[in-house]
Amino acid sequence: MTIYVVEKNEAIRKDVSGMLEKVCGDAEICSFSDSPSALAAARKNRVDVAYLDDKLPEMDGLLLGQYLKDLYPSVNLVLMTRKKDTAFGAMSLRASGCIMLPPEETDIRTEQRELRYPYGQTEKKRVFVQTFGNFEVFADGVPIQFKYSKTKEILAVLINNKGVQTTNGEIIASLWEDDGDPKVKSSYLSNLRQDLQNTLADLGLTGIIIKQRGSMAIAKDQVECDLYEWLEKKKASRYQYLGDYMNQFGWAEFVHAELDEIVYMEEDNA
């Protein structure tokens, strides 16, 4: 487990780091006095838990926490504050917890015991797919970059179809609807499929796409996906559907009604 302590006050930073070393003897504790240094380190090496001063200079703890979540969706964030009203910010960030400064060892023990994403139970798969809100695909915590933006949308279509083989025609219909010459779009789709194949191959992720002649599907067992876990576990899921789904794609609007209906049924049965 790698734990970051980002605190501008040197004495507090040392106190928190020392308590964590005592509570989590096998953890790697990395301390930083400012947000840019912590963020630069996180871009190179994964972080599992981050204790963040809410009043950091240049970039406060809430903003730094959001950047860390963008890199590692299952990072546990614990805000450290001198004001009780910071708890609202922690809730909006979906933080793991919030402690008052100066810290007590009992606070550290409680936060480590009650982590939102327990260490060893998350990120078991290299690929994490975020569908709630904007669609994004992460490999080892880093967003996958494709040559063409439409390549990413192909992945979104496959994720939305939940492992069902999706034909080239169905992909074209989703990406372009009735816009343009079908033959031209078929040629473009070939380029997109090649971009998808090359990008995943470069990352050693060829197994997440199941290809057949004229169709493709996502290998559900090869990815961690907020939608899939929520559909399986509902309220017990680490991820919760709050009315936003693949916001950047117009065709995804039709899925909202289906997901909303599931929410209503769950509430009626509660």
Side-chain angles (χ1 to χ4, degrees):
M1 178 188 293
T2 300
I3 304 176
Y4 280 17
V5 178
V6 192
E7 165 61 55
K8 61 182 180 294
N9 184 289
E10 182 178 4
I12 293 177
R13 187 168 65 251
K14 288 183 177 180
D15 283 347
V16 174
S17 297
M19 293 175 190
L20 284 166
E21 288 176 356
K22 183 177 180 180
V23 173
C24 312
D26 59 345
E28 179 183 2
I29 313 298
C30 303
S31 64
F32 306 89
S33 60
D34 60 88
S35 294
S37 298
L39 186 56
R43 285 174 174 149
K44 296 179 180 179
N45 297 292
R46 174 179 174 73
V47 54
D48 300 294
V49 185
Y51 285 76
L52 309 175
D53 181 355
D54 69 324
K55 297 299 182 184
L56 289 164
E58 299 183 59
M59 182 193 306
D60 66 26
L62 287 172
L63 183 55
L64 174 58
Q66 188 57 63
Y67 279 123
L68 292 177
K69 282 179 69 70
D70 290 341
L71 289 173
Y72 307 107
S74 294
V75 65
N76 293 281
L77 303 175
V78 180
L79 288 177
M80 301 185 296
T81 182
R82 295 162 182 80
K83 296 183 179 180
K84 292 182 179 180
D85 58 5
T86 301
F88 177 78
M91 291 176 61
S92 66
L93 191 60
R94 301 294 189 270
S96 178
C98 183
I99 61 176
M100 296 294 295
L101 296 176
E104 300 288 342
E105 185 178 315
T106 53
D107 298 330
I108 299 295
R109 288 187 180 278
T110 298
E111 294 302 332
Q112 288 300 120
R113 185 175 63 249
E114 303 293 338
L115 291 176
R116 185 180 181 90
Y117 305 113
Y119 180 68
Q121 296 183 23
T122 61
E123 300 298 335
K124 295 179 180 178
K125 297 171 183 176
R126 290 189 59 202
V127 176
F128 173 77
V129 180
Q130 172 185 298
T131 66
F132 297 156
N134 283 345
F135 176 79
E136 192 60 80
V137 184
F138 301 84
D140 302 320
V142 179
I144 297 177
Q145 301 296 321
F146 298 99
K147 183 177 180 180
Y148 306 106
S149 61
K150 286 291 187 181
T151 306
K152 180 177 175 180
E153 190 169 356
I154 288 179
L155 262 184
V157 171
L158 299 182
I159 290 292
N160 181 72
N161 288 349
K162 308 179 190 68
V164 175
Q165 283 288 330
T166 306
T167 67
N168 290 343
E170 290 169 334
I171 293 173
I172 289 174
S174 295
L175 269 59
W176 293 287
E177 298 181 346
D178 297 324
D179 180 25
D181 186 342
K183 292 183 179 180
V184 174
K185 298 306 180 186
S186 294
S187 177
Y188 189 17
L189 178 61
S190 295
N191 292 335
L192 297 178
R193 287 181 56 136
Q194 190 63 49
D195 180 34
L196 177 62
Q197 178 177 317
N198 292 344
T199 303
L200 296 179
D202 288 344
L203 293 169
L205 298 172
T206 53
I208 73 170
I209 300 295
I210 301 173
K211 293 183 292 183
Q212 295 183 1
R213 186 176 179 83
S215 68
M216 293 185 293
I218 196 75
K220 290 179 63 179
D221 63 336
Q222 296 297 308
V223 303
E224 178 181 345
C225 177
D226 53 5
L227 172 67
Y228 298 166
E229 181 173 315
W230 179 74
L231 288 174
E232 178 184 354
K233 299 181 179 179
K234 303 301 188 300
K235 292 183 179 180
S237 170
R238 293 168 292 171
Y239 315 104
Q240 292 298 310
Y241 169 69
L242 300 176
D244 292 314
Y245 178 75
M246 297 193 185
N247 289 336
Q248 66 266 57
F249 305 128
W251 51 263
E253 294 179 1
F254 298 101
V255 185
H256 287 173
E258 177 183 334
L259 299 181
D260 288 341
E261 182 64 25
I262 294 174
V263 172
Y264 297 147
M265 291 178 63
E266 287 293 307
E267 291 177 348
D268 289 341
N269 295 330

